[in-house]
Amino acid sequence: MALDLTLSSIYRINGQEIPSLPGLVAQTPPQNAARGRERDRLIVYLLLTGNSTFSTSEYLKVAQDAAAAFYKTSGALTSALRTAADHVNKTLFERNMTTNLKGQYAIGWLTLAVLRDAQCTLSMSGPMHAYWFGQNESRHIHEPAVSGKGLGSNQTTSIHYAQTTLSSGDRLLFFGRTPSAWDSTLNDAVPSSMDAMRRRLLSLTSADLNAVLIQATDGAGVINHIKETTDIKVERKTVEAPPDLTPSLPQPEEIFSAPVTDSADAPPAHVVQPSAYAIPPQPEEAPAVDKDPLANLPHAHTGAGRDFPASIPRAQRQPAQSESSAEGVDPLSVKTGEAPVIEKILEPAPPRQRRARVQREISSGTRQTAKALAGAIQFTRRLNDTIAERFRKFMPRLLPNADSTEPLNAPSTITMMFMAVLIPLVVVTIASVVYLRYGRSQQYETYLLQANNMKEQAVSLTDPVEQRKAWENVISNVDIAESHRETSETITLRQEAEANLDILLGITRLQFNPAFSSNLGIEISRMTANESDLYMLNAANGEVLRAKPAGNAGGFELDTAFNCKPGIYGDYKVGPLVDILALPLVNVKASTVLGIDATGNLLYCAPGVVAQAIPLPPPATSWERVTAFVLDGGNLYVLDSSARAVWVYTGRDGIFVDLPYFFFGGQTPEKQDVIDLVVSGDDLYMLHSDGHLSTCSFSRINSASTRCEDPSPYHNPFEAYRDTDLFASAHFTQMLFTALPDQSILLLDADSPSQGVFRFMPRTLDLQNQFRPRLGASNPMPSGPIGAIAVGANHVLYLAVNGQIYFATDMP
């Protein structure tokens, strides 16, 4: 970690600058970080909108829990980012479901920034803005069509991913809504320092602000957070109301005092800890004419008097009925220590003015009235005491034999005691049954009716986008109805909505079954299959495992005698294998599977025989690191991603002894992020780490160079996706061709919650459909990322999930 990060909050409410943002968390990798997260530094910037009530600790906990979810997720970076965003979405959605009857809701706008070395990856949900400022250029990242409207409104998490490279001196600026006065500054050159830029942004406008400014500097990977305010003078015009129209309210009581103190158990510097918005002390005002009668109460503030900005709600004394009616003011009721009601990104009402109390002379009539009221109160208390005493004497007489000396185990006494216990139990049971049968039934009927209304609307619509939204609303209402009671009617309605959605979205459901009776307990990185056998590559040690059909029992069983792993074979040493492919049934080596290690050594394996190692002739530039290979038309195509090269070996009966030629000719690709490739004739398809494809057509004419297109755009012909980018939320990790004659390209969406495989037409890259597991109890596949994919010659689709293989035989 060669770069230090310095964070500075730009947070102002009603002219009051506050040093700590409640939804900002910056964290370095913890010691128990999941595999793949050891080098990732995370910044969570959460902005809540709506009208729900969040305390400061609740606000911060949502952001901290998102960071914890990120560091607990192993595998691909985008998978961890999606897990963190899904956690925020689930938290807010569940909260909104419990508060929707009160008309309260909260929508989260979320920006996650992960710095790994110099590479910064952004995940944005909601209409967030991100600016990158380099030495001589800047970049604005804002894609609301992809990032959606925010988190918490439904169960779908919309995310826009972006990447940039940070150097020393570069800056990042995150915020939700852009003040119009910032436009010129954000488009101009960067100021000379971070402090100068912060001062300039604060001085350009007097409006409320909520943003975070980040600067990268050379260092050792430390995260610093600057918690200080800047004394900025902003010219502001104030229009005062006429004296007779200015509202006059009693002085609210201060309900929390939150000075920031240093303690031994304070969190590390990289975790932002808001404390009641860290309100700084204010100058003491002149005392009122009367001494406040509440000042001596135990909860009264005994320190130096200070005012809170209007963004912090405070408990108010209940005004007289005439005064509240005349002014039309509803006093706020806020829990101690809680943050304000969030409305339009915490935009509070203007502060209310103090009014000094004026002592009035008490008239004699008022004194007589008060004396009469006091007498009435004393009489009421005496009457209550008398009734209570008589009631205490009367109650024991209701019990049988209260004055007798009959033993406790007498039949009448035992019976009465039994009845005293039984009757309340019966009453509670009856009340519970009535609620469960009629109260929950009423909720069920309400949401089922809404679902049927949405269904009628979906059937009548003609626009595919509106149809999709209507069917999604049907499923949402069915979910709520089934939380009260699941019936055949809700099951039928759900199946109908899901079937119509699948048609609109081009989804084909397959029935997957587990291949093995128990979990293999290993991580599988690659798979390949022929007509009968399945071969799997163990990601931990680079060994190939063979699975054969289990006979009449169905599924597969491991061939424990099969040996295809790293080691010394003759004069050659083979390292951990990085990729495997199934060989044609007829080949000179009589092998069934071929593996390759990172240095270009081939390993031919077959059941019941000893593996054979043959090294590939190294290219003119030697190997850097082999990452993948593919066989097409008898030629072997080897990907050396670090060297930005694809080397082609001409085969002779499955043996490759000649020197390779460079596929790209005189044109070398610019990027080193290719992770997989497939070949069909002279067409080469390369999958990049960010999920996009590039294609190249090999030229066999010396005067013409190989033509490449990067990126090659995907095409989505399904109109129901017209308002969203389906491919922006996908994370493609592997690619392969299906078997002839109907050959197509399959792309594995490894991190999708719905576990999808996309099928495209070659050359045009038109989306044909998506393969996904069936919904409901018939799907045995657990949730989680997919590690590998394979397709057999008999059109059997294999997926590796959490150490188990699932296969579907009905792939069209």
Side-chain angles (χ1 to χ4, degrees):
M1 299 181 182
L3 293 177
D4 286 353
L5 296 180
T6 302
L7 283 68
S8 179
S9 302
I10 303 177
Y11 189 27
R12 183 168 62 202
I13 296 179
N14 264 28
Q16 178 74 42
E17 186 183 347
I18 303 172
S20 295
L21 277 171
L24 179 63
V25 170
Q27 189 168 340
T28 55
Q31 293 183 352
N32 59 346
R35 185 175 58 85
R37 304 282 79 80
E38 301 90 347
R39 297 162 50 206
D40 296 341
R41 286 178 286 169
L42 175 67
I43 297 175
V44 181
Y45 174 45
L46 176 64
L47 190 61
L48 296 180
T49 67
N51 61 359
S52 186
T53 302
F54 273 74
S55 69
T56 304
S57 58
E58 290 175 330
Y59 203 140
L60 180 61
K61 188 176 186 301
V62 176
Q64 289 178 333
D65 289 348
F70 172 83
Y71 282 113
K72 290 180 181 178
T73 305
S74 60
L77 175 59
T78 52
S79 175
L81 290 171
R82 176 171 289 279
T83 300
D86 285 341
H87 180 84
V88 176
N89 185 63
K90 180 181 178 181
T91 301
L92 296 179
F93 181 74
E94 291 176 351
R95 183 186 179 103
N96 288 338
M97 292 297 293
T98 60
T99 61
N100 62 350
L101 297 178
K102 302 177 183 178
Q104 297 180 356
Y105 67 95
I107 302 299
W109 298 2
L110 179 66
T111 295
L112 301 174
V114 177
L115 184 64
R116 178 184 297 176
D117 297 331
Q119 189 74 26
C120 182
T121 303
L122 300 179
S123 166
M124 306 171 69
S125 299
M128 288 293 238
H129 296 260
Y131 274 86
W132 167 77
F133 300 98
Q135 298 300 323
N136 300 311
E137 59 179 338
S138 63
R139 176 187 175 192
H140 182 200
I141 304 172
H142 178 60
E143 294 292 342
V146 179
S147 59
K149 297 181 180 180
L151 304 175
S153 60
N154 54 57
Q155 295 178 335
T156 302
T157 305
S158 299
I159 300 177
H160 171 61
Y161 296 106
Q163 282 187 334
T164 186
T165 301
L166 287 183
S167 302
S168 179
D170 291 356
R171 299 189 192 117
L172 294 170
L173 179 64
F174 301 152
F175 55 89
R177 293 179 180 171
T178 314
S180 58
W182 280 11
D183 293 342
S184 59
T185 299
L186 297 179
N187 295 326
D188 290 346
V190 181
S192 57
S193 67
M194 179 181 182
D195 184 62
M197 183 174 186
R198 184 177 186 275
R199 287 176 173 271
R200 185 176 182 186
L201 294 175
L202 285 167
S203 62
L204 284 174
T205 177
S206 60
D208 292 348
L209 300 175
N210 190 312
V212 57
L213 181 62
I214 306 168
Q215 176 162 314
T217 56
D218 289 329
V222 179
I223 298 179
N224 303 306
H225 184 222
I226 302 175
K227 295 184 179 181
E228 61 181 10
T229 59
T230 305
D231 188 11
I232 300 296
K233 302 298 184 181
V234 181
E235 182 178 356
R236 181 183 302 179
K237 296 181 180 180
T238 304
V239 179
E240 297 184 357
D244 56 338
L245 298 179
T246 302
S248 179
L249 298 177
Q251 172 60 34
E253 291 297 320
E254 298 174 352
I255 64 169
F256 42 28
S257 174
V260 179
T261 60
D262 295 332
S263 61
D265 56 350
H270 56 266
V271 179
V272 181
Q273 290 283 352
S275 54
Y277 299 112
I279 304 303
Q282 300 296 313
E284 185 175 1
E285 289 192 1
V289 175
D290 285 348
K291 183 177 179 180
D292 190 350
L294 300 178
N296 293 325
L297 293 179
H299 65 273
H301 183 61
T302 58
R306 58 192 183 101
D307 293 334
F308 286 85
S311 60
I312 304 300
R314 291 159 288 179
Q316 302 176 2
R317 303 193 193 94
Q318 184 67 32
Q321 182 64 31
S322 60
E323 182 179 349
S324 62
S325 302
E327 297 180 9
V329 178
D330 294 329
L332 298 176
S333 177
V334 185
K335 296 179 180 179
T336 300
E338 290 190 343
V341 174
I342 52 174
E343 180 67 24
K344 299 182 180 179
I345 316 184
L346 299 174
E347 295 178 359
R352 297 173 178 173
Q353 299 178 354
R354 296 176 179 263
R355 188 181 71 174
R357 302 179 182 86
V358 180
Q359 185 176 6
R360 294 179 298 178
E361 183 179 358
I362 302 176
S363 62
S364 58
T366 303
R367 294 178 184 274
Q368 294 296 331
T369 302
K371 186 176 181 180
L373 289 174
I377 292 173
Q378 292 178 359
F379 173 77
T380 303
R381 289 178 177 175
R382 288 194 297 270
L383 181 62
N384 288 338
D385 293 341
T386 302
I387 294 175
E389 181 64 24
R390 292 182 178 181
F391 189 77
R392 283 193 295 270
K393 294 179 179 179
F394 173 73
M395 285 300 296
R397 298 177 183 177
L398 294 178
L399 297 175
N401 302 325
D403 298 329
S404 67
T405 59
E406 186 176 356
L408 183 63
N409 58 354
S412 59
T413 304
I414 295 176
T415 302
M416 293 305 296
M417 291 180 62
F418 175 75
M419 295 300 295
V421 175
L422 179 63
I423 291 175
L425 290 177
V426 172
V427 172
V428 171
T429 303
I430 294 175
S432 301
V433 171
V434 170
Y435 169 73
L436 293 175
R437 183 169 183 178
Y438 298 101
R440 293 174 63 89
S441 178
Q442 181 63 36
Q443 295 290 329
Y444 164 82
E445 295 292 343
T446 299
Y447 287 104
L448 181 61
L449 177 62
Q450 293 180 9
N452 281 304
N453 292 338
M454 288 294 180
K455 170 191 168 183
E456 295 176 0
Q457 179 182 358
V459 172
S460 64
L461 293 172
T462 57
D463 183 14
V465 175
E466 297 301 325
Q467 284 181 324
R468 186 202 79 210
K469 294 180 179 179
W471 286 117
E472 288 174 348
N473 288 332
V474 171
I475 295 178
S476 178
N477 282 278
V478 169
D479 287 339
I480 302 175
E482 288 187 338
S483 67
H484 299 284
R485 185 174 55 176
E486 181 177 341
T487 63
S488 59
E489 189 173 2
T490 61
I491 294 174
T492 302
L493 188 56
R494 176 188 295 278
Q495 292 175 347
E496 181 181 359
E498 290 171 345
N500 282 279
L501 269 178
D502 288 346
I503 295 174
L504 289 171
L505 304 178
I507 296 174
T508 301
R509 301 286 176 181
L510 302 179
Q511 178 59 55
F512 284 89
N513 297 297
F516 302 101
S517 58
S518 60
N519 194 294
L520 297 178
I522 60 173
E523 182 180 355
I524 298 171
S525 60
R526 292 281 186 174
M527 293 192 299
T528 187
N530 55 27
E531 287 80 357
S532 59
D533 297 343
L534 173 67
Y535 297 92
M536 302 156 288
L537 181 60
N538 188 337
N541 57 15
E543 178 184 1
V544 180
L545 306 177
R546 174 178 177 254
K548 57 184 180 180
N552 296 331
F556 291 81
E557 60 182 2
L558 285 178
D559 181 3
T560 56
F562 183 74
N563 187 1
C564 186
K565 59 184 178 181
I568 298 177
Y569 298 89
D571 298 331
Y572 307 111
K573 181 180 180 180
V574 179
L577 302 179
V578 297
D579 200 3
I580 57 176
L581 57 84
L583 291 173
L585 292 178
V586 179
N587 60 82
V588 70
K589 291 293 184 181
S591 300
T592 57
V593 64
L594 177 64
I596 190 172
D597 67 6
T599 57
N601 294 309
L602 298 179
L603 188 62
Y604 294 82
C605 303
V609 298
V610 178
Q612 303 178 58
I614 300 178
L616 286 172
T621 59
S622 189
W623 299 111
E624 288 195 18
R625 178 176 173 80
V626 175
T627 53
F629 73 148
V630 65
L631 187 64
D632 181 75
N635 295 335
L636 192 67
Y637 296 78
V638 182
L639 171 65
D640 188 347
S641 180
S642 301
R644 298 179 295 174
V646 174
W647 299 101
V648 185
Y649 289 84
T650 303
R652 297 180 182 179
D653 298 327
I655 304 299
F656 309 96
V657 296
D658 296 332
L659 289 175
Y661 63 86
F662 190 55
F663 181 88
F664 303 107
Q667 179 183 4
T668 302
E670 297 180 358
K671 299 179 180 179
Q672 299 176 315
D673 61 346
V674 178
I675 58 176
D676 207 354
L677 79 164
V678 293
V679 178
S680 177
D682 291 334
D683 295 330
L684 169 68
Y685 301 83
M686 294 179 290
L687 177 63
H688 296 257
S689 60
D690 62 356
H692 83 270
L693 274 183
S694 58
T695 58
C696 295
S697 296
F698 180 73
S699 176
R700 300 184 181 274
I701 304 175
N702 293 332
S703 59
S705 60
T706 299
R707 303 184 309 275
C708 293
E709 182 181 8
D710 185 13
S712 295
Y714 304 112
H715 300 287
N716 187 354
F718 296 95
E719 287 295 320
Y721 288 111
R722 191 173 63 246
D723 64 335
T724 183
D725 186 355
L726 171 65
F727 307 119
S729 59
H731 180 218
F732 298 131
T733 57
Q734 291 187 15
M735 173 174 58
L736 70 161
F737 266 119
T738 58
L740 294 172
D742 185 19
Q743 196 172 46
S744 56
I745 299 175
L746 295 184
L747 287 176
L748 173 63
D749 184 9
D751 296 330
S752 171
S754 55
Q755 298 173 318
V757 177
F758 289 63
R759 182 164 70 170
F760 293 88
M761 286 286 295
R763 291 184 177 270
T764 61
L765 297 182
D766 289 333
L767 178 65
Q768 293 179 286
N769 64 326
Q770 303 174 54
F771 295 120
R772 294 184 182 179
R774 289 185 180 176
L775 298 170
S778 61
N779 175 31
M781 190 182 303
S783 59
I786 304 175
I789 181 176
V791 176
N794 49 359
H795 291 273
V796 178
L797 178 62
Y798 301 90
L799 299 178
V801 182
N802 294 339
Q804 175 66 282
I805 308 299
Y806 298 88
F807 67 98
T809 58
D810 54 348
M811 187 182 84

